Amino acid sequence: MKSSALPNPSAPAAVQAVDEVLPLGQMILYGLQHVLVMYAGAVAVPLVVGSAIGLTDAQIVILIGCDLVVCGLATIVQTVGIGRWLGCRLPLIQGCTFAALIPLVLIGKEYGMGGISGAVMIAGLFTLLSAPWICKLVRFFPKVVMGSIVTLIGLSIMPVAGEWIGGGSGMPNFGNFLSLALAALTLVIILNIYTFGSGLIKNIAVLIGLIIGSAVWYFIDSLDFSRVSASPWISVPVPMQFSHPEFHLVPILLLCMVMVVVMVETMSSMMAIGEIVGRKADSETLKRGLLACGLATFCGSFFNLFPYAAFAQNVGLIGLTGVKSRFVVATSGCLLILMGLFTKIAALVVIVPKPVLGGAGVVMFGMVAVSGIRTLGQVNYRNNNNGMVIALTLGLGLMPVLVPQLFSQLPELAQMFLHSGITVGTCVAIVANLILNGKGFHFKNRHFEVCEPEDPTVDEVQSTAARRVAIKTVRVWLLLRRAREQKEKEQL
């Protein structure tokens, strides 16, 4: 009987949720949810930059198609990995980063598409060379820093959901009653399916909410299918179809500095996803992830594209659905490639109304913050300054989000770093933790020690030791009392 209870050494080990391969139909449905969440952000950078440098509508459509193909390939490499040196093997979607949007527009207006492509090419090489060094920053991310950053990510991207709810930034009738009502309806649908559904239905609550919300919008206000009919059926990416790379010192330096910001943000997203799926991102994982970003950026430059990074929007979807498989996100990469090649499919996704996306975004982005709050709940706040680290991270990190014009009078180079609350908060969290809790720093003859990640058993060990001391004290007191009573009896 005892031998039968022993584990069989030849039996296969249990597969972690992040490595689970689901049935194909489920992976397509779950992957489509990720695509719908990130699509608006994926096409925004080529759309804005292409318009700023004077590309025609037809050229912008081709540029978006190329971008989607590279997004899909980068996502597959990031999630599946290549050998032992490329890809973080986490459910992480890649896309053109917003951190480089303003510099790209400035470079494009001054140097054209050729200047952009040359700067992006060198920036990709810079990322590949510096990734092994940047990834070592992981030792500066204990739970108090990680939890603060993840919470900040969720709060920082919430304004995106707000813009979607109102109908999209810059819309003349922004915030009209129809937009608010449809966003609320979509949110209610998703919450009801998530609460009362089970299994597959519960996990695709966001997708069902988006479909029903879009259908209701169609009957009330109609959807514009003109972009679908105007798009070509197939668009194959062609290298250097808009311009050949030109190398100028100022654009190269500018984008290399931007890539430092992008790498920090990407590491934050990788560690956030690692916390959610139960596979912590160590320095080796971060290095492989950053190398994948650098390779995507370098290869994208040959198609006149832009720097690539992780998309934080999808972190919340993983937390909401509980579907942690990286192969689901790899399926999203395959769908992105198909959309890039078959542009009519991509145009269909574009017509999903922004208020419908906003209703779904509220819960998805909120789940990112919830994940960070859970991590902060495991932090030890006794005899340290962890509370102040969190206060500084959230307070200063939300400034660019709450007051976007706060740094408008500073030089453009400073604005490039300060316009991102995630970047500001990450830097503040690391520096504040080092100064207030830190390690290995000497300041005015004071020695600071680097704060290691908190051990959740510390408080338990301390409280156990205290109980043992109390028990021994009571026992000694009882023995003394018994001896005194015995002595009094003998005297009587």
Side-chain angles (χ1 to χ4, degrees), residues 34 47 78 128 131 146 182 295 334 361 368 393 446 464-465 472 491:
H34 281 284
L47 182 63
Q78 193 71 273
L128 291 171
M146 192 65 251
L182 261 295
L295 182 63
C334 297
V368 181
T393 302
R446 292 180 62 190
T464 302
K472 288 182 179 179
Q491 290 177 353

Side-chain angles (χ1 to χ4, degrees), residues 177-200:
F177 176 77
L178 179 61
S179 297
L180 300 180
L182 261 295
L185 175 63
T186 304
L187 177 59
V188 170
I189 292 171
I190 292 173
L191 291 178
N192 276 279
I193 296 174
Y194 186 78
T195 304
F196 300 107
S198 61
L200 177 63

Side-chain angles (χ1 to χ4, degrees), residues 108-255:
K109 290 182 177 179
E110 182 70 22
Y111 299 95
M113 182 62 83
I116 291 177
S117 299
V120 171
M121 186 179 296
I122 301 301
L125 290 175
F126 170 78
T127 304
L128 291 171
L129 294 175
S130 59
W133 307 97
I134 297 292
C135 70
K136 294 181 179 179
L137 290 174
V138 68
R139 65 188 294 266
F140 299 115
F141 286 83
K143 281 189 176 181
V144 63
V145 173
M146 192 65 251
S148 302
I149 293 173
V150 175
T151 304
L152 179 63
I153 290 174
L155 297 177
S156 296
I157 60 179
M158 193 60 73
V160 176
E163 291 183 356
W164 288 347
I165 290 173
S169 180
M171 295 295 291
N173 58 344
F174 181 83
N176 62 82
F177 176 77
L178 179 61
S179 297
L180 300 180
L182 261 295
L185 175 63
T186 304
L187 177 59
V188 170
I189 292 171
I190 292 173
L191 291 178
N192 276 279
I193 296 174
Y194 186 78
T195 304
F196 300 107
S198 61
L200 177 63
I201 299 298
K202 180 176 181 177
N203 291 334
I204 60 171
V206 174
L207 177 60
I208 296 174
L210 293 176
I211 293 174
I212 296 177
S214 299
V216 173
W217 183 279
Y218 173 76
F219 288 109
I220 294 177
D221 192 23
S222 79
L223 296 174
D224 184 11
F225 289 92
S226 60
R227 184 174 297 181
V228 179
S229 58
S231 301
W233 279 102
I234 298 177
S235 176
V236 180
V238 178
M240 304 299 178
Q241 56 185 326
F242 299 115
S243 178
H244 287 81
E246 301 173 5
F247 303 98
H248 304 279
L249 181 60
V250 173
I252 289 173
L253 292 177
L254 186 59
L255 277 193

Side-chain angles (χ1 to χ4, degrees), residues 363-378:
V363 288
M364 290 187 300
F365 302 163
M367 287 301 296
V368 181
V370 169
S371 176
I373 293 171
R374 286 176 179 169
T375 302
L376 293 177
Q378 303 171 10

Side-chain angles (χ1 to χ4, degrees), residues 64-89:
I64 290 175
C66 294
D67 172 51
L68 292 175
V69 172
V70 176
C71 280
L73 291 173
T75 299
I76 293 173
V77 171
Q78 193 71 273
T79 53
V80 178
I82 297 179
R84 297 182 178 180
W85 60 279
L86 200 60
C88 65
R89 292 172 174 81

